Protein backbone atom coordinates (compact mmCIF):
# COMPACT_ATOMS: atom_id res chain seq x y z
CA UNK A 1 0.00 0.00 0.00
CA UNK A 2 1.26 3.46 -0.87
CA UNK A 3 1.04 5.92 2.02
CA UNK A 4 1.15 9.70 1.77
CA UNK A 5 3.08 11.48 4.55
CA UNK A 6 2.66 15.25 4.66
CA UNK A 7 3.48 18.28 6.79
CA UNK A 8 7.07 17.09 7.11
CA UNK A 9 9.78 19.35 8.46
CA UNK A 10 12.37 20.29 5.85
CA UNK A 11 14.92 18.41 7.96
CA UNK A 12 13.03 15.08 7.75
CA UNK A 13 14.93 12.27 6.02
CA UNK A 14 14.17 8.87 4.52
CA UNK A 15 15.71 7.34 7.63
CA UNK A 16 13.38 9.34 9.91
CA UNK A 17 10.36 7.95 8.07
CA UNK A 18 11.78 4.43 8.07
CA UNK A 19 12.28 4.60 11.86
CA UNK A 20 8.69 5.57 12.57
CA UNK A 21 7.07 3.20 10.03
CA UNK A 22 9.10 0.00 10.57
CA UNK A 23 7.61 -0.76 14.01
CA UNK A 24 4.33 -1.34 12.13
CA UNK A 25 5.80 -3.70 9.52
CA UNK A 26 8.07 -4.02 6.51
CA UNK A 27 8.79 -0.91 4.46
CA UNK A 28 9.56 -1.42 0.76
CA UNK A 29 10.38 2.11 -0.37
CA UNK A 30 10.44 5.68 0.83
CA UNK A 31 10.22 8.56 -1.61
CA UNK A 32 10.80 12.05 -0.20
CA UNK A 33 9.66 14.62 -2.77
CA UNK A 34 12.01 17.48 -3.59
CA UNK A 35 11.70 20.53 -5.81
CA UNK A 36 13.29 19.59 -9.15
CA UNK A 37 14.85 23.02 -9.60
CA UNK A 38 16.26 23.64 -6.11
CA UNK A 39 16.51 20.14 -4.67
CA UNK A 40 14.87 21.39 -1.46
CA UNK A 41 12.31 19.15 0.26
CA UNK A 42 8.65 19.86 -0.54
CA UNK A 43 7.40 18.73 2.88
CA UNK A 44 5.84 15.44 1.84
CA UNK A 45 6.70 11.98 0.69
CA UNK A 46 5.44 8.45 0.17
CA UNK A 47 6.06 5.21 2.03
CA UNK A 48 5.30 1.88 0.38
CA UNK A 49 4.41 -1.01 2.72
CA UNK A 50 3.72 -4.48 1.24
CA UNK A 51 1.27 -5.64 3.91
CA UNK A 52 -2.06 -3.82 3.79
CA UNK A 53 -2.89 -4.53 7.45
CA UNK A 54 0.48 -3.15 8.59
CA UNK A 55 0.03 -0.09 6.40
CA UNK A 56 -3.42 0.59 7.83
CA UNK A 57 -2.07 0.22 11.37
CA UNK A 58 0.72 2.69 10.54
CA UNK A 59 -1.79 5.19 9.14
CA UNK A 60 -3.92 5.00 12.29
CA UNK A 61 -0.92 5.07 14.62
CA UNK A 62 1.08 7.82 12.93
CA UNK A 63 -1.51 10.32 11.68
CA UNK A 64 -0.92 13.42 13.79
CA UNK A 65 2.31 12.05 15.31
CA UNK A 66 5.12 14.50 16.00
CA UNK A 67 8.08 14.27 13.63
CA UNK A 68 10.62 17.04 13.94
CA UNK A 69 8.19 19.30 15.79
CA UNK A 70 5.38 18.97 13.24
CA UNK A 71 2.21 16.88 13.32
CA UNK A 72 2.37 14.55 10.32
CA UNK A 73 -0.50 13.91 7.98
CA UNK A 74 -0.56 10.21 7.18
CA UNK A 75 -3.10 8.54 4.91
CA UNK A 76 -3.52 6.26 1.93
CA UNK A 77 -1.88 7.86 -1.10
CA UNK A 78 -4.65 7.03 -3.55
CA UNK A 79 -6.50 10.30 -2.89
CA UNK A 80 -3.36 12.36 -3.61
CA UNK A 81 -2.58 10.50 -6.81
CA UNK A 82 -6.21 10.84 -7.95
CA UNK A 83 -6.25 14.59 -7.24
CA UNK A 84 -2.97 15.09 -9.11
CA UNK A 85 -4.32 13.25 -12.15
CA UNK A 86 -1.78 10.45 -11.83
CA UNK A 87 -4.53 7.81 -11.83
CA UNK A 88 -7.06 7.74 -14.62
CA UNK A 89 -9.02 4.81 -13.19
CA UNK A 90 -9.84 3.67 -9.69
CA UNK A 91 -7.67 0.97 -8.04
CA UNK A 92 -8.83 -2.53 -8.80
CA UNK A 93 -10.72 -1.43 -11.89
Amino acid sequence: MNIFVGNLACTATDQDLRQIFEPYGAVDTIDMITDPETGHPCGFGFVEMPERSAARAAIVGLHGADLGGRACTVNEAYWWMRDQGVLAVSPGA
Side-chain angles (χ1 to χ4, degrees):
M1 174 185 273
N2 200 1
I3 302 168
F4 171 84
V5 185
N7 198 37
L8 295 172
C10 55
T11 57
T13 65
D14 290 7
Q15 187 60 31
D16 293 332
L17 290 183
R18 187 169 297 280
Q19 284 180 324
I20 65 169
F21 275 86
E22 281 187 338
Y24 293 94
V27 173
D28 279 347
T29 59
I30 296 173
D31 187 17
M32 298 286 284
I33 306 303
T34 57
D35 181 292
E37 292 181 19
T38 66
H40 294 121
C42 291
F44 69 97
F46 298 90
V47 175
E48 182 73 36
M49 296 181 78
E51 296 294 325
R52 193 166 192 76
S53 60
R56 289 195 183 277
I59 290 168
V60 170
L62 295 173
H63 182 71
D66 183 282
L67 179 61
R70 297 179 102 175
C72 296
T73 300
V74 182
N75 50 40
E76 189 170 354
Y78 172 71
W79 70 268
W80 187 89
M81 294 175 8
R82 183 196 63 225
D83 289 354
Q84 299 301 314
V86 175
L87 294 178
V89 296
S90 62

